[in-house]
Amino acid sequence: MGTKQRLPDRKSKITVREVARRANVSESTVSRIMRNKGLVAEATREKVMETVRAMGYVPNRIAGSLASLDSFLIGVVIPSLSNIVFPEVLQGVHAGLEGSDLQPVISTTDYDIDREEVVVRGILAWKPAAILLAGFEHTEATRKMLDQSAIRVVEMMDIDSTPIDIAVGMSHHRAGHAIGRHLIARGYRHFGYVGHDWTADRRVRLRYDGLCEALAESGLSIESKAMTDGASSVAEGRAQTARLRAQAPQIDVAVYSNDDMAVGGVFHCLSEGIRLPDEFAVFGFNGLDIGKELPQPLSTVRSNRYLIGKKSIEEVLASPERPPNPTIIDTDFEVFAGATA
Amino acid sequence: MGTKQRLPDRKSKITVREVARRANVSESTVSRIMRNKGLVAEATREKVMETVRAMGYVPNRIAGSLASLDSFLIGVVIPSLSNIVFPEVLQGVHAGLEGSDLQPVISTTDYDIDREEVVVRGILAWKPAAILLAGFEHTEATRKMLDQSAIRVVEMMDIDSTPIDIAVGMSHHRAGHAIGRHLIARGYRHFGYVGHDWTADRRVRLRYDGLCEALAESGLSIESKAMTDGASSVAEGRAQTARLRAQAPQIDVAVYSNDDMAVGGVFHCLSEGIRLPDEFAVFGFNGLDIGKELPQPLSTVRSNRYLIGKKSIEEVLASPERPPNPTIIDTDFEVFAGATA
DNA sequence: CTGTTAGCGCATTCAT
DNA sequence: ATGAATGCGCTAACAG
């Protein structure tokens, strides 16, 4: 650390003014240099950058943002961090933001649209460049705020409704339907369903409905259901699978509300020595990594959570102005046959 | 939505000034009301709040923050979002922030301290109230920035070094040692190690070193290792387990770099019909949910990621001033016997 | 290529 | 209990 300059004392916040004084230039010159904007003589730039480094100056974005009236924040509102799919969306968001000098501000709602309202208000107060939410269910007040904000609004995960501005995701209804057709084609006739609470997450219900429709088209139906009131988990998947098999032994395939639940089903079978998929078949949803590595790869539908996050950002960066008509971006899904169904 | 007032047009940003005009009060009165600070007549408050609602006014925090010179942001810098432990830390952070009207700004480093430097600079520019990072490894420039910022700095996960300001986490060295003693006590004598890249994550190495020391104290050692250069995953856990067993059949217990790898080991055994723990034993690290639900619960060490996030926030909220001496908060760990070792 | 002048939207004195 | 004035730190015209 060559030059033994006197360190700035801890409390004195260093501003453009101090830097400008020390470097014998004006504040705007320093500002221009810090933002690589406008013409500056190479000599001045070097001189200023040196004092910037020496003083450890970091421009205050709060002030910068206020002065320039543009934002460097992206609001992200997700239901939860405990369901692995949302961190995956966040990964995509981070990837999309790479190199853009925007920072994500993240909040969670616990699947509660009233909390979402509070959280959205809090985020909009930061005047973000755009806001990303999960799903289409919002309070009236939330809708009003989002609309008035006039910034780009992305509703992620789901494309089965009309978005406020942009929707990025897949059709869960079609996915459910595809699952039904796939399993019928494989010869299954006695369907069970193992699920978790779907009041908080509309997408779970959409998949279920799509599945039922596909079955109905072939004159079939869900013969038995085992559901928990709570959140999805491997433990609940195990427990509900046990219940389903006890209450409806004729079932030859169970469709699960998601992979967590389905992995629980697989574990139950492993523990009880039930042969998959001959004796009982398991079908999940999401395409989580864990499913791929089971002794037998889990049969499931792969959604593209990472892609959803990434595309969402790409879209808002591509056109910062809200167009007159809503945009829908389908990130699609893929039925993965696997070995458990 | 009762009162059919004319909606503000989308573009006109509503500021205190407009609200004040419409409500026939001064800007300061509006400001006071919005912040519930200072005395205001109940009548005025109601009158103003009504126009606030009608106009859909949301105070601009950027401006507020600049004017009051205090921050409402917390910076959080983590290595990645793909390793489930970090979202868990974030959950704790969110929980700790509950009710505090602070917002987290999150960035990831991909385990690269040069990227960390960039990211920290970006976050400090927002003048956050505090910043949370993972680990003790930072570039000199990062250290300098953190020091100069004079805000509270929390180094999370690890407490095996001296922190800049606060460290919240557990001793990974002690954990490794505890694993060794536990397994020796259970009668194991032929140790193997299955691991992943530890250059990027010092904590993996600390556990390994602790383990080796415990073994050495009993005249034992790691007889064989199977390691991948890449990140940890269930798939790599499977693959490396196969390798270990092929190259050193005498091994009776393998310690894994973490639960992801260990679950891979368990899956390998399930597929190959290897009896756990008699024929081969598996010991992980982290205490992930998935491990608990395996047909046989995974033997592991439980760390408290959620608690780490939560305590970190609690600590910085409790004392916003940086004390003269570093603080260390031990969130501890717990050896969980499980059924695979 | 560089400096000067005005705000950005709000919170904080201090008056009244 | 309310209002007027000042400035937070920076950027954006505009001069020169």
Side-chain angles (χ1 to χ4, degrees):
Chain A
M1 307 256 68
T3 57
K4 182 127 186 136
Q5 220 131 355
R6 75 176 163 296
L7 292 173
D9 42 343
R10 296 166 112 303
K11 283 278 107 177
S12 80
K13 51 221 158 324
I14 308 152
T15 72
V16 253
R17 170 173 282 129
E18 340 294 338
V19 177
R21 271 211 236 289
R22 277 248 233 153
N24 266 70
V25 292
S26 74
E27 297 183 24
S28 5
T29 300
V30 175
S31 173
R32 273 192 285 263
I33 290 170
M34 294 310 289
R35 289 172 299 122
N36 290 319
K37 209 173 180 186
L39 303 177
V40 191
E42 195 45 36
T44 346
R45 158 169 280 116
E46 273 168 28
K47 179 179 64 177
V48 171
M49 280 313 289
E50 201 168 314
T51 77
V52 162
R53 269 191 293 274
M55 302 180 76
Y57 170 62
V58 179
N60 183 337
R61 279 240 156 162
I62 303 266
S65 194
L66 181 61
S68 65
L69 292 182
D70 53 24
S71 167
F72 300 94
L73 255 19
I74 293 276
V76 184
V77 180
I78 53 178
S80 117
L81 283 161
S82 45
N83 187 341
I84 182 74
V85 307
F86 297 110
E88 288 177 357
V89 171
L90 289 184
Q91 281 184 259
V93 168
H94 274 91
L97 251 23
E98 189 63 53
S100 75
D101 96 338
L102 287 161
Q103 301 269 164
V105 177
I106 294 164
S107 288
T108 56
T109 67
D110 292 314
Y111 294 96
D112 175 348
I113 62 172
D114 292 315
R115 252 197 72 73
E116 185 189 62
E117 180 179 323
V118 173
V119 148
V120 165
R121 180 172 289 111
I123 285 194
L124 288 181
W126 287 101
K127 306 290 162 188
I131 186 166
L132 279 43
L133 329 173
F136 293 111
E137 295 174 297
H138 317 293
T139 66
E140 267 313 308
T142 302
R143 286 185 183 286
K144 192 180 171 194
M145 286 188 289
L146 292 174
D147 191 54
Q148 243 178 69
S149 74
I151 62 175
R152 301 235 62 182
V153 175
V154 183
E155 289 162 290
M156 300 187 293
M157 310 312 282
D158 190 354
I159 56 171
D160 292 304
S161 294
T162 302
I164 296 175
D165 176 12
I166 308 172
V168 180
M170 50 166 277
S171 168
H172 288 255
H173 187 273
R174 285 203 286 113
H177 195 271
I179 291 170
R181 299 229 300 198
H182 173 78
L183 292 172
I184 291 168
R186 288 181 81 89
Y188 294 103
R189 291 298 176 267
H190 298 285
F191 285 78
Y193 180 79
V194 176
H196 67 280
D197 175 40
W198 62 24
T199 57
D201 185 345
R202 199 180 76 115
R203 298 174 284 282
V204 175
R205 182 58 192 271
L206 285 168
R207 296 196 291 273
Y208 178 81
D209 290 343
L211 170 65
C212 289
E213 284 176 28
L215 297 186
E217 287 163 13
S218 297
L220 299 170
S221 67
I222 300 288
E223 296 177 19
S224 185
K225 290 202 284 256
M227 298 175 66
T228 169
D229 293 334
S232 68
S233 69
V234 176
E236 277 296 345
R238 278 186 85 147
Q240 299 302 326
T241 302
R243 241 186 80 200
L244 181 78
R245 289 191 46 87
Q247 80 196 15
Q250 85 283 7
I251 296 298
D252 53 19
V253 62
V255 176
Y256 287 72
S257 50
N258 66 25
D259 276 6
D260 294 290
M261 298 292 285
V263 167
V266 170
F267 285 175
H268 171 79
C269 293
L270 283 173
S271 299
E272 302 294 312
I274 299 164
R275 281 174 299 105
L276 283 166
D278 308 325
E279 210 171 328
F280 181 70
V282 169
F283 200 98
F285 176 83
N286 260 339
L288 300 188
D289 285 339
I290 183 74
K292 286 187 253 183
E293 305 305 333
L294 293 174
Q296 301 169 61
L298 180 64
S299 301
T300 190
V301 165
R302 292 184 173 148
S303 59
N304 296 305
R305 286 85 59 190
Y306 178 87
L307 193 60
I308 289 176
K310 190 146 178 285
K311 287 257 183 202
S312 297
I313 293 296
E314 285 170 359
E315 184 65 19
V316 302
L317 295 188
S319 42
E321 288 298 315
R322 203 187 282 191
N325 296 312
T327 311
I328 290 182
I329 296 174
D330 189 348
T331 54
D332 212 2
F333 60 86
E334 177 199 349
V335 173
F336 175 69
T340 63
Chain B
M1 307 258 71
T3 57
K4 181 127 185 136
Q5 222 132 356
R6 76 176 162 294
L7 291 173
D9 43 341
R10 296 165 110 305
K11 282 276 109 175
S12 79
K13 50 219 160 328
I14 307 151
T15 72
V16 254
R17 170 174 283 130
E18 339 295 339
V19 177
R21 272 211 235 289
R22 277 248 231 151
N24 265 68
V25 292
S26 74
E27 297 182 24
S28 359
T29 301
V30 175
S31 173
R32 274 191 285 263
I33 290 170
M34 293 311 288
R35 289 172 300 118
N36 291 319
K37 209 171 181 186
L39 301 177
V40 192
E42 195 45 37
T44 1
R45 156 169 280 116
E46 274 170 27
K47 178 179 63 177
V48 171
M49 280 313 288
E50 202 168 314
T51 77
V52 163
R53 269 190 294 272
M55 304 180 75
Y57 170 63
V58 178
N60 183 337
R61 280 227 162 194
I62 304 266
S65 194
L66 181 61
S68 65
L69 292 183
D70 53 23
S71 168
F72 300 93
L73 254 20
I74 293 277
V76 184
V77 180
I78 53 179
S80 118
L81 283 160
S82 45
N83 186 340
I84 181 71
V85 307
F86 297 111
E88 288 177 356
V89 172
L90 288 184
Q91 282 185 258
V93 167
H94 273 91
L97 251 23
E98 188 64 53
S100 75
D101 96 338
L102 288 161
Q103 301 269 165
V105 177
I106 294 164
S107 290
T108 55
T109 67
D110 293 313
Y111 295 96
D112 176 348
I113 62 173
D114 291 315
R115 253 198 71 72
E116 185 188 63
E117 180 178 323
V118 173
V119 146
V120 165
R121 181 172 290 110
I123 285 194
L124 288 180
W126 288 101
K127 306 290 161 186
I131 187 166
L132 278 45
L133 328 171
F136 293 111
E137 295 175 298
H138 317 293
T139 66
E140 267 313 308
T142 303
R143 285 184 183 286
K144 191 180 173 192
M145 286 189 287
L146 291 174
D147 192 55
Q148 246 179 65
S149 74
I151 63 176
R152 301 235 61 181
V153 175
V154 183
E155 288 163 291
M156 300 187 294
M157 309 314 281
D158 190 354
I159 56 172
D160 291 305
S161 294
T162 303
I164 297 174
D165 176 12
I166 308 173
V168 179
M170 50 166 278
S171 167
H172 288 255
H173 187 273
R174 285 203 285 113
H177 195 271
I179 290 170
R181 299 229 301 199
H182 172 77
L183 292 173
I184 291 168
R186 288 181 81 89
Y188 294 102
R189 291 298 176 268
H190 298 285
F191 286 77
Y193 179 79
V194 176
H196 67 280
D197 176 41
W198 61 26
T199 57
D201 186 345
R202 199 180 77 118
R203 298 174 284 282
V204 175
R205 182 57 192 270
L206 285 168
R207 295 197 290 273
Y208 178 80
D209 290 343
L211 171 65
C212 289
E213 285 175 28
L215 296 187
E217 287 162 14
S218 297
L220 300 171
S221 66
I222 301 287
E223 296 176 18
S224 185
K225 291 200 284 255
M227 298 175 66
T228 169
D229 291 336
S232 68
S233 70
V234 176
E236 277 297 344
R238 280 186 84 147
Q240 299 301 326
T241 302
R243 241 186 80 199
L244 182 79
R245 290 194 42 91
Q247 77 196 16
Q250 84 282 6
I251 295 298
D252 53 19
V253 62
V255 175
Y256 287 72
S257 51
N258 67 25
D259 276 6
D260 294 290
M261 298 292 285
V263 167
V266 170
F267 286 174
H268 172 78
C269 293
L270 284 173
S271 298
E272 302 294 312
I274 299 164
R275 282 175 297 106
L276 285 166
D278 307 326
E279 211 171 326
F280 182 70
V282 169
F283 200 97
F285 176 82
N286 259 340
L288 299 189
D289 285 341
I290 183 75
K292 287 187 255 187
E293 305 306 332
L294 293 174
Q296 301 170 58
L298 180 64
S299 301
T300 190
V301 164
R302 291 183 173 149
S303 59
N304 297 304
R305 286 85 59 189
Y306 178 88
L307 192 61
I308 289 175
K310 190 146 179 284
K311 286 256 183 201
S312 296
I313 294 296
E314 285 171 358
E315 184 65 18
V316 301
L317 295 188
S319 41
E321 288 297 315
R322 202 187 282 190
N325 296 312
T327 310
I328 290 181
I329 297 176
D330 189 348
T331 53
D332 213 1
F333 61 85
E334 178 199 349
V335 173
F336 175 68
T340 63

